[in-house]
Amino acid sequence: MKILLVEEAAATRRRLTGLLEKQGHQVTTCDGLAQAKAALERDAFPLLILGSILPDENALYFCRKLRERDGGDGIFILMSADQAISADVKAALAAGANDYLTKPFQPDELALRLAVAENEIAKIGARRKTDATLEETTARVNEIVDKTSEGFFALDREWNVTTANAKAEQALGLDRAQLLGKNFWESFPALAGSAFEENCRKAMSEQSALQFETSVEGDLACFEVRAYPSSRGILIFFRDISDARRMKEQRLTANKLDSLGKFARGIAHDLNNALAVVSGKLRLAELEAPAHDGSLLGFIGEARSAARKAERLSGQLLIFANGEPSQKKLIPIAELVRKAAEFSLRGSELRAQYEIADDLARAEADPQQLEQIVHALVLNAREAVPNAGTIAIAAQNHSANESSGLPVEAGSYLKISIADRGPGVADESIAQIFQPYFTTKPDASGLGLAIANSLVKKQGGFLHLEKNSSAGATFSFYLPAISTSLVKEVSPPNENAESKRAKRVLVMDDEATIRELTAQLLATMNYDVTTVTEGEGAVRAYAQAAQEGRGFHAVLLDATVRGGLGGAETIARLREFDPNVNAIICSGYSDAAQMSEFLGCGFRAALPKPFTRRELAAVLEDAPEADAAAVR
């Protein structure tokens, strides 16, 4: 064992050195503390024998300073003096000495002291090794905890922070120096009394692990927390699950919308069939009514207007079910916006104040869907201003480029804005106003702005909350503009010319009222009509007519037939017999996407239900005719 002997008396140093070396120890001697300091700087000594009376410095002071330095507790200090006075022994032990040796040294006493020293030195070495291992392990654990994707911090039983990793620092907004040793609830008063504190205290009192989800009031973030209590305190692991929860909610919303959409499609299909009969019969009644009977014609006109509103409702159901724009048209926006706004403000004390550009371009859009967008935004403004006042509606041409900050392609757009003078949208609601089912009104569905936003996007535009303050909110949407030089006026179908053409038409529909109505409408246009209930009958009638040399000018096929061949299956059979069959698909599912699929099956045109006499005449006139040689 390496021993540092610090002794002023040369004779004592020699005698003690001899005794120590005889026992196999390696001894370095010093006559004063200055030499001892230098020796300790050069080498490590597990045992220091220190004389209590030294010429250059107080040995007790030196002993205390030695203990204070880094690694000073790893040296066994044996203090020596001429006589064992109790006060001196206490002073030596208080200064940091491990034991006391009395001069003159006796071999047996020295051997006993050294044995005790060696035993303690072995314990010190084992402890230091354990401490080093523990430090290494702690450092490794801290490194792992710091690199983990979860936040982690530990609290003692007094709720003071004892450790925290980098993720916790980031989430809590304080670094470790600001966290360690501080009471957690005092440092974060927003969490005091929250569900987070209740769960932590529950885990601590019951000494059982607990897993829960929590969020801070006014914060959209959500965290999954795992609390592990121990006798020393509690360990808290947490991770941000805000994105996962939003995705889950979006999936649930999508599933709800999908189920509701399927239900809406079924309702819209049946409603369209019923409306086709109502609208058609009203048109026939209008044709048969005496021209001088103004009251009757007025009643019929009002009924047709109500039917058209029901048709718009059916169209909205299909929009909700499919999210697809239906048939786009080149339309003047100003008149449509005024009409939709005035309709939406009926029954209220509000009035619309318009600012519409004289040179406003046109847009290619679905008129019914555009009305629905304006209706949703005006209704939203109406609900924000419960009392009398004005709603500002503006429409202007707008040029978008990279610097405009809009998420649309560069080009020309129509910008329509609806501004109210209500209290504005609450800051915490802005991120959710276009989400389905989100509403701050107890009696609202939360679908108006969501569907409006979807419709605008489907037509290549963009809807956003442009301005928001306590003085009101402004919603604006942009639609791709069509230059007026590119707009061609479309002439209405020539019903009189159509009525002079006596051609044969085959009608297939499983609804008796639809078959009867379609036949009656075609009869008013001088068509020769044959009706059947399903696809097999249509194939037989078509084949028989061809054999007799009386081919059909056109075939109207219902898309969906209960218990029989529908439109897609029927045209496949007809095309086997006649590749040039002039077939028109009719469907209560009147969305553009499905109609396009039917056209891909070989249909020459599509006629959505409900249809008017004018639309029926137009589709028969515009549909390309089949080769006469093939059908006659």
Side-chain angles (χ1 to χ4, degrees), residues 184-186 188-197:
F184 186 81
W185 311 120
E186 293 177 1
F188 302 98
L191 292 174
S194 66
F196 175 76
E197 181 182 9

Side-chain angles (χ1 to χ4, degrees), residues 565-630:
L565 294 182
E569 297 88 350
T570 302
I571 193 175
R573 295 277 297 277
L574 290 176
R575 283 169 63 85
E576 292 176 2
F577 177 77
D578 177 11
N580 297 311
V581 60
N582 186 20
I584 300 168
I585 187 69
C586 299
S587 176
Y589 297 123
S590 56
D591 59 280
Q594 190 169 43
M595 288 301 188
S596 298
E597 291 180 9
F598 284 129
L599 294 177
C601 295
F603 288 98
R604 294 173 180 263
L607 182 63
K609 297 177 186 178
F611 51 81
T612 64
R613 181 176 180 272
R614 179 184 292 266
E615 291 168 341
L616 179 59
V619 76
L620 288 169
E621 184 176 348
D622 294 342
E625 294 189 35
D627 185 358

Side-chain angles (χ1 to χ4, degrees), residues 224-241:
E224 180 186 72
V225 181
R226 287 173 290 123
Y228 299 98
S230 68
S231 59
R232 295 185 177 182
I234 190 168
L235 307 179
I236 305 292
F237 291 86
F238 64 92
R239 64 187 182 94
D240 192 334
I241 58 170

